[in-house]
Amino acid sequence: DTEVTQTPKHLVMGMTNKKSLKCEQHMGHRAMYWYKQKAKKPPELMFVYSYEKLSINESVPSRFSPECPNSSLLNLHLHALQPEDSALYLCASSLRGLAGYQDTQYFGPGTRLTVL
Amino acid sequence: AQRVTQPEKLLSVFKGAPVELKCNYSYSGSPELFWYVQYSRQRLQLLLRHISRESIKGFTADLNKGETSFHLKKPFAQEEDSAMYYCALRAPGNTGKLIFGQGTTLQVKP
């Protein structure tokens, strides 16, 4: 398996709902990432997990809560979101997440989130 | 601060014409640079890494440290090259963080 998969593909939620996004990879990668992408804009990094530990939180609001249960799985728990949080949420993985190693990031197809 | 600049939002060329997508970076050390492509309704995918010096789908990119540039080139554009192209710089430190440019939409007309 050489792909990053994400579920669901689409998600519509109200501002009071709690939902989760799921990302999975079976490439033996030990670094996993969450990005947010607005239309016609580049991805913006949200979180990085390296060896199942959170290594970067780009000052993301607490209504987004990441979780890395194991080396293959990454979740993003959503609670009390705002309409401006509507976006494409991308997951990526890379071998080690280290600079200087040509550690290529491979992206999933994304979950398109709409907050009503 | 590290920064990636892609000066053109949109580049429109005719099929068979040469293409050059510009990317300039700001970084004081040895940069790690990438080009990613996002075709319509497809995932973001790696096109080139500077260290590999490879040619993918006819595209090449050369790192010019003097001009701090990593422009993407193709001698003869094809309609299927139409997509959004992002230049990215890996931030220093052992974080794997990528800094993306704003992207350039390449439109290849028949």
Side-chain angles (χ1 to χ4, degrees):
Chain A
D1 191 345
T2 57
E3 277 198 342
V4 176
T5 59
Q6 289 186 246
T7 53
K9 284 186 179 176
H10 301 275
L11 179 61
V12 179
M13 61 186 288
M15 290 191 283
T16 57
N17 292 157
K18 279 186 183 181
K19 297 285 184 184
S20 296
L21 309 184
K22 181 179 168 181
C23 172
E24 206 160 357
Q25 57 85 17
H26 297 286
M27 296 182 277
H29 290 174
R30 302 310 298 272
M32 296 185 78
Y33 311 76
W34 280 116
Y35 288 85
K36 175 181 176 180
Q37 187 179 27
K38 292 278 204 178
K40 306 277 189 198
K41 296 290 185 185
E44 297 174 29
L45 184 67
M46 300 173 73
F47 303 104
V48 181
Y49 273 84
S50 182
Y51 291 83
E52 293 97 71
K53 287 188 169 51
L54 184 65
S55 58
I56 293 182
N57 176 339
E58 292 285 286
S59 303
V60 179
S62 59
R63 57 185 185 268
F64 295 91
S65 174
E67 180 198 17
C68 190
N70 59 59
S71 60
S72 300
L73 193 53
L74 185 67
N75 297 320
L76 187 63
H77 303 298
L78 314 171
H79 174 54
L81 294 194
Q82 305 295 311
E84 58 265 28
D85 296 321
S86 299
L88 183 67
Y89 287 84
L90 298 172
C91 174
S93 72
S94 68
L95 193 60
R96 294 187 188 179
L98 301 176
Y101 189 78
Q102 278 300 307
D103 202 48
T104 303
Q105 289 185 28
Y106 295 92
F107 285 81
T111 292
R112 183 144 323 266
L113 174 67
T114 303
V115 182
L116 301 176
Chain B
Q2 295 80 38
R3 190 168 59 245
V4 177
T5 303
Q6 293 180 250
E8 300 138 330
K9 270 193 171 179
L10 172 67
L11 183 62
S12 188
V13 301
F14 285 101
K15 177 183 169 181
V19 169
E20 183 179 51
L21 296 153
K22 292 186 175 9
C23 172
N24 289 91
Y25 65 91
S26 172
Y27 177 56
S28 54
S30 290
E32 291 182 64
L33 289 154
F34 306 82
W35 275 101
Y36 279 85
V37 59
Q38 197 167 28
Y39 299 102
S40 179
R41 297 193 198 90
Q42 292 189 30
R43 69 181 68 200
L44 194 63
Q45 53 188 285
L46 177 73
L47 185 61
L48 287 175
R49 301 177 287 189
H50 90 268
I51 199 169
S52 304
R53 301 185 65 81
E54 58 208 335
S55 172
I56 305 291
K57 298 185 181 183
F59 285 97
T60 58
D62 288 318
L63 177 62
N64 185 324
K65 288 188 180 180
E67 295 182 0
T68 60
S69 68
F70 187 56
H71 303 328
L72 184 67
K73 298 177 185 178
K74 185 169 183 176
F76 308 104
Q78 303 298 314
E79 288 181 71
E80 55 266 29
D81 296 328
S82 296
M84 174 71 92
Y85 291 79
Y86 291 103
C87 183
L89 168 73
R90 193 201 306 280
N94 291 331
T95 64
K97 178 179 176 178
L98 284 177
I99 298 165
F100 285 90
Q102 289 299 303
T104 298
T105 299
L106 175 63
Q107 187 183 74
V108 182
K109 296 178 283 190

